[in-house]
């Protein structure tokens, strides 16, 4: 009998990472793929990106509404509660043998909570990372403790998962699925991008994404205004392509500020969702990635492109030599952008693998005869012979 593997996706970025694994599971005769879409995928404000999932040929088995008309901490906390309820109902109907979760979004936390009490084994992708500027850090480690299989992106993360008391036999360093995705996608030329986006490239061009920083004392809006001031100071010879923020507290303010900036700057364009093909093609065709998105850390190095990492949201992750970090202050951001444009990234090495993560994960999933045998786990302390 085929085993049912249920994957959860709540945002465009995490879905893009999952695609290579979803396709690998679909091809495997021993598995049946179940797919649940939630969060920003179902929101008009964030582009109704569930339609991109369907356009890619995937069947969405359940759509789980969680987002309220609010981006406040209270609204997000309520969304987690709605998610737990929705996932409990979905899992009761789908009866998966294993739950596939990626990352550290609050939708993922809701799914893990429901699966935990419903005795559904969890395979977690991307555990063990550290990020200082967002509550994603605590969510990521919480999901690790609820999960039974751990697919990490690098050796440092593997050691942190081990430090959390997880059995080393169930920790697998597989690299980042983002590199798999890059290698599998077609690339649009500059001319094709200009036609698709309705945007004319300038002599220099930057791809900008700034997400809320949920733990910093300084509000996200103030930090973003510093970034906008730095971009304004560059002048109109720089093309600026903005992608929208995640559905986190303060996201609406960032969206408003972005649109107001673009309305006053003919060299700027804003897109709530670009899709994976256009997004990665833009990394290839622009001069640098700027902001605080994890794509500047995970994917940009594979394109040998510099990434200006603003603020603390990604601090703690493993950085390639092409990543330039700076404080969220206008002068520091300007310095970092100018340094990035002068940096030779041709020899940058992506520390997150070589693009075979999906097959590595699939191989492990196939090798385990009984997922339910993983449910009873105990804290495994680090011993003197651990390396």
């Amino acid at each position: 009998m085929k085993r049912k593997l249920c994957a959860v996706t709540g945002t465009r970025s995490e879905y893009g990472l999952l695609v290579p694994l979803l396709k690998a599971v679909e091809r495997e005769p021993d598995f049946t793929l179940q797919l649940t879409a939630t969060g920003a995928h179902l929101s008009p404000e964030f582009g109704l990106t569930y339609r991109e999932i369907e356009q890619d040929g995937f069947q969405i088995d359940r759509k789980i509404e969680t987002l309220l008309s609010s981006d406040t901490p209270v609204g997000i906390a309520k969304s987690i509660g709605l998610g737990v309820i929705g996932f409990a109902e979905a899992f009761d109907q789908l009866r998966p043998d294993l739950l596939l979760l990626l990352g550290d979004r609050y939708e993922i936390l809701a799914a893990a909570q429901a699966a935990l009490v419903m005795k559904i084994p969890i395979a977690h992708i991307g555990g063990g990372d550290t990020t200082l500027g967002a509550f994603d850090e605590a969510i990521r480690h919480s999901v690790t403790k609820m999960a039974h299989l751990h697919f990490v992106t690098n050796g440092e993360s593997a050691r942190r998962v081990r430090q959390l008391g997880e059995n080393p036999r169930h920790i697998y360093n597989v690299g980042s699925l983002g590199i798999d995705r890059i290698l599998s996608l077609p690339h649009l030329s500059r001319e094709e991008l200009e036609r698709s986006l309705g945007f004319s490239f300038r002599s220099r061009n930057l791809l900008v994404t700034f997400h809320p920083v949920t733990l910093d004392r300084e509000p996200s809006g103030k930090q973003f205004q510093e970034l906008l001031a730095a971009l304004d100071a560059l002048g109109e010879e720089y093309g600026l392509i903005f992608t929208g923020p995640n559905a986190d507290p303060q996201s609406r303010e960032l969206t408003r500020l972005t649109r107001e900036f673009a309305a006053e700057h003919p060299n700027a364009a804003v897109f709530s969702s670009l899709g994976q093909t256009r997004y990665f093609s833009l990394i290839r065709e622009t001069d640098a990635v700027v902001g605080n998105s994890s794509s500047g850390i995970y994917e940009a190095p594979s394109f040998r492109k510099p990434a200006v990492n603003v603020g603390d949201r990604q601090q703690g992750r493993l950085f390639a030599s092409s990543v330039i970090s700076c404080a969220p202050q206008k002068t520091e951001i300007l310095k970092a952008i100018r340094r990035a444009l002068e940096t030779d990234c041709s020899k940058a090495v992506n520390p997150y693998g070589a693009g075979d993560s999906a097959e590595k994960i699939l191989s492990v999933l196939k090798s385990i005869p009984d997922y339910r045998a993983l449910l009873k786990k105990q804290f495994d302390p680090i011993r003197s012979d651990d390396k």
Side-chain angles (χ1 to χ4, degrees):
M1 181 180 295
K2 287 188 175 184
R3 291 188 285 179
K4 295 179 288 186
L5 273 54
C6 180
V8 175
T9 176
T11 67
R12 63 181 192 265
S13 55
E14 150 237 89
Y15 164 70
L17 295 175
L18 277 172
V19 167
L21 180 59
L22 300 181
K23 289 184 176 179
V25 171
E26 275 197 327
R27 292 192 300 266
E28 177 53 49
D30 295 334
F31 294 142
T32 295
L33 175 66
Q34 298 175 327
L35 189 56
T36 60
T38 186
H41 281 310
L42 309 182
S43 169
E45 186 176 352
F46 295 95
L48 291 172
T49 48
Y50 78 88
R51 294 183 294 199
E52 296 177 15
I53 300 174
E54 293 176 336
Q55 289 168 4
D56 286 342
F58 293 111
Q59 173 184 311
I60 299 175
D61 295 279
R62 293 293 184 278
K63 295 175 183 174
I64 300 169
E65 296 279 2
T66 60
L67 282 185
L68 300 171
S69 183
S70 168
D71 67 346
T72 66
V74 171
I76 298 300
K78 289 181 178 179
S79 291
I80 296 173
L82 287 174
V84 174
I85 294 170
F87 282 116
E89 293 173 346
F91 296 157
D92 185 53
Q93 295 163 358
L94 295 174
R95 302 292 174 126
D97 296 298
L98 182 74
L99 187 63
L100 297 174
L101 300 179
L102 186 148
D104 43 40
R105 296 278 306 164
Y106 56 81
E107 304 95 340
I108 300 306
L109 176 64
Q113 288 177 275
L116 176 71
V117 297
M118 296 178 75
K119 295 190 287 189
I120 301 170
I122 298 172
H124 183 216
I125 304 165
D129 288 359
T130 60
T131 49
L132 302 182
F135 52 50
D136 300 357
E137 165 96 356
I139 291 175
R140 190 182 311 112
H141 296 330
S142 297
V143 174
T144 289
K145 292 308 300 177
M146 289 186 273
H148 307 86
L149 298 172
H150 309 280
F151 298 106
V152 301
T153 63
N154 62 88
E156 286 297 321
S157 292
R159 281 187 279 274
R160 293 191 192 101
V161 171
R162 179 71 186 95
Q163 191 174 3
L164 287 169
E166 296 302 297
N167 190 322
R169 291 186 295 125
H170 298 149
I171 304 171
Y172 306 90
N173 182 0
V174 298
S176 172
L177 285 166
I179 304 175
D180 297 44
R181 186 62 167 152
I182 290 169
L183 297 177
S184 68
L185 281 173
H187 297 293
L188 303 179
S189 67
R190 179 170 292 214
E191 292 74 20
E192 289 171 324
L193 282 169
E194 287 185 324
R195 287 195 300 269
S196 175
L197 300 174
F199 179 81
S200 297
F201 283 91
R202 273 51 173 185
S203 57
R204 293 276 198 167
N205 300 278
L206 304 176
L207 180 57
V208 185
T209 307
F210 191 87
H211 297 301
V213 281
T214 51
L215 288 184
D216 281 10
R217 291 185 178 182
E218 190 173 61
S220 298
K222 184 176 180 181
Q223 295 189 29
F224 189 48
Q225 285 176 320
E226 292 288 318
L227 172 56
L228 293 177
L231 296 174
D232 177 68
L234 290 172
E236 292 191 4
E237 65 271 22
Y238 283 79
L240 306 173
I241 301 170
F242 290 85
T243 62
N246 285 335
D248 285 321
Q250 308 171 54
S251 63
R252 287 182 175 174
E253 181 183 6
L254 301 188
T255 299
R256 176 182 61 80
L257 290 170
T258 306
R259 297 195 181 281
E260 289 176 355
F261 181 89
E264 298 175 356
H265 293 76
N267 59 319
V270 183
F271 301 90
S272 59
S273 177
L274 286 163
Q276 292 290 305
T277 297
R278 292 196 301 182
Y279 183 79
F280 287 129
S281 297
L282 278 168
I283 295 181
R284 179 184 292 272
E285 293 298 331
T286 53
D287 295 284
V289 174
V290 179
N292 62 4
S293 171
S294 61
S295 64
I297 313 302
Y298 282 121
E299 286 93 44
S302 291
F303 291 93
R304 308 292 191 267
K305 287 298 177 76
V308 175
N309 178 52
V310 179
D312 289 338
R313 189 172 187 272
Q314 301 299 336
Q315 291 300 322
R317 294 195 193 274
L318 192 61
F319 288 173
S321 60
S322 54
V323 178
I324 299 167
S325 293
C326 66
Q329 300 165 1
K330 173 185 173 181
T331 55
E332 296 302 312
I333 297 170
L334 271 173
K335 287 179 185 176
I337 291 174
R338 288 172 176 147
R339 179 183 164 195
L341 297 176
E342 296 172 353
T343 299
D344 179 9
C345 298
S346 61
K347 296 182 180 179
V349 176
N350 194 323
Y352 293 102
D356 56 354
S357 300
E359 291 303 324
K360 287 181 177 178
I361 293 172
L362 189 68
S363 176
V364 172
L365 297 179
K366 289 168 60 179
S367 72
I368 298 172
D370 181 10
Y371 297 138
R372 291 188 65 82
L374 302 170
L375 284 172
K376 286 188 176 181
K377 68 175 191 177
Q378 61 185 18
F379 190 94
D380 195 317
I382 294 176
R383 297 171 289 275
S384 59
D385 58 346
D386 278 346
K387 295 183 180 179

